[in-house]
């Protein structure tokens, strides 16, 4: 089967969204750009993550939207497709409905850059995409617009999205966003969150002064 390893990795990551409490039941969806860059793989619609096998993963052509596979793909396939079209740098997308990020999205409040990690991982403030019903073209367009060149976005009255070079990175972003939302709520209770300055964000994003990690390991 084409892209067997990537199919298995897509299933592994979708199961982790469940076990980490980022979504429940059969909700949420995970996709990954294929090595050839022509298509992407996405989880099927409404299937138990524990029951999914590699053959249930649907392949979607990025240019045409044409689908290959025995299952109906996720309702948000069009949204994933539009992100891949707009962002050639994105290799994987994780969409979930975690309580804290979704709470912020319900309040329609963006997540400011409240920690260095937000600047480094998200690429700036995490914006809220305007509301659109699930599976609609309107939602896809709103999400692409609000995501911009960053790596995370909140979806009004719906959930969150993390994107990355690969599936591990996209899951990390989704996970980090949820935890940063918790930090934001605590900061609000503690007296009010204070965002770091644009100057600090620019320094962090430019890589100046980054000494974290081992030499040669980025
Ligand atoms: Zn959703």
């Amino acid at each position: 089967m084409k892209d067997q390893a990537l199919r298995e990795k897509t299933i592994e990551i979708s199961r982790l969204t469940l076990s980490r409490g980022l979504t429940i039941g059969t909700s949420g969806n995970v996709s990954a750009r294929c090595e050839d860059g022509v298509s992407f793989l996405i989880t099927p619609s409404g299937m138990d993550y524990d029951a999914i096998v590699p053959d249930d993963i649907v392949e979607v052509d990025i240019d045409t939207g044409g689908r290959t596979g025995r299952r109906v793909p996720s309702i948000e396939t069009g949204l994933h497709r539009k992100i891949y079209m707009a962002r050639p740098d994105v290799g994987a997308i994780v969409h979930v409905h975690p309580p804290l990020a979704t709470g912020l999205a319900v309040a329609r409040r963006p997540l400011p850059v409240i920690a260095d990690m937000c600047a480094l991982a998200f690429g700036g403030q995490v914006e809220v995409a305007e509301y659109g019903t699930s599976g609609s073209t309107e939602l896809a367009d709103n999400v692409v617009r609000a995501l911009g060149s960053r790596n995370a976005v909140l979806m009004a009255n719906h959930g969150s999205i993390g994107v990355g070079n690969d599936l591990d990175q996209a899951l990390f972003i989704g996970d980090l966003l949820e935890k940063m939302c918790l930090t934001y709520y605590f900061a609000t209770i503690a007296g009010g969150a204070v965002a770091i300055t644009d100057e600090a964000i620019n320094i962090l994003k430019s890589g100046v002064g980054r000494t974290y990690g081992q030499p040669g390991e980025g």
Side-chain angles (χ1 to χ4, degrees), residues 23 27-29 75-76 79 95-97 134-135 139 155 158-160:
T23 199
S27 68
N29 32 74
I75 187 175
E76 302 297 359
L79 185 160
H95 164 50
V96 286
H97 310 123
S134 294
L139 176 62
M155 301 157 72
H158 187 146
S160 65

Side-chain angles (χ1 to χ4, degrees), residues 78-119:
L79 185 160
H80 287 246
R81 184 175 159 231
K82 286 205 167 175
I83 292 174
Y84 287 121
M85 291 173 88
R87 291 280 301 274
D89 61 309
V90 169
I93 301 167
V94 170
H95 164 50
V96 286
H97 310 123
L100 304 175
T102 305
L104 207 54
V106 168
R108 303 199 179 186
R109 299 284 299 273
L111 178 70
V113 182
I114 54 169
D116 290 6
M117 280 291 280
C118 293

Side-chain angles (χ1 to χ4, degrees), residues 132-146:
T133 52
S134 294
S136 67
T137 304
E138 181 191 12
L139 176 62
D141 290 339
N142 292 346
V143 164
V144 168
R145 195 180 312 118

Side-chain angles (χ1 to χ4, degrees), residues 12-26:
E12 178 196 332
I13 295 295
S14 67
R15 288 176 181 159
L16 285 173
T17 66
L18 265 189
S19 62
R20 293 187 184 182
L22 296 173
T23 199
I24 59 165
T26 62

